[in-house]
């Protein structure tokens, strides 16, 4: 997954303002305690980060 697709999915699913906040504020233990933005910057696949948001925020499976 490309970074642009990841960003688009976040904004479509959660709205621009909420997506921005979530990328900075929500921390994932599986990414070493990083937030979503830092996880992507650290080299984690944006698809893995997207799926982590989907799990944590109960996004329906068909939109993963």
């Amino acid at each position: 997954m490309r970074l642009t697709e990841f960003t688009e999915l976040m904004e479509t699913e959660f709205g621009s303002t909420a997506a921005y906040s979530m990328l900075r504020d929500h921390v994932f233990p599986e990414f070493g305690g990083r937030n979503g933005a830092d996880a992507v910057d650290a080299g984690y696949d944006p698809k893995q980060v997207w799926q982590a948001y989907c799990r944590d925020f109960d996004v329906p499976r068909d939109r993963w």
Side-chain angles (χ1 to χ4, degrees):
M1 172 183 293
R2 296 170 48 107
L3 184 56
T4 54
E5 184 181 2
F6 169 74
T7 303
E8 186 177 298
L9 286 169
M10 288 291 295
E11 290 178 354
T12 299
E13 187 65 39
F14 303 112
S16 296
T17 303
Y20 178 79
S21 291
M22 292 165 71
L23 284 168
R24 300 286 172 217
D25 297 335
H26 190 73
V27 174
F28 296 96
E30 65 262 42
F31 302 129
R34 292 176 176 89
N35 63 34
D38 289 342
V40 171
D41 288 345
Y44 287 93
D45 184 350
K47 184 175 182 176
Q48 289 178 295
V49 178
W50 168 247
Q51 290 172 341
Y53 276 107
C54 290
R55 279 191 306 275
D56 285 6
F57 289 93
D58 297 321
V59 173
R61 194 62 115 131
D62 64 324
R63 293 198 303 261
W64 286 30

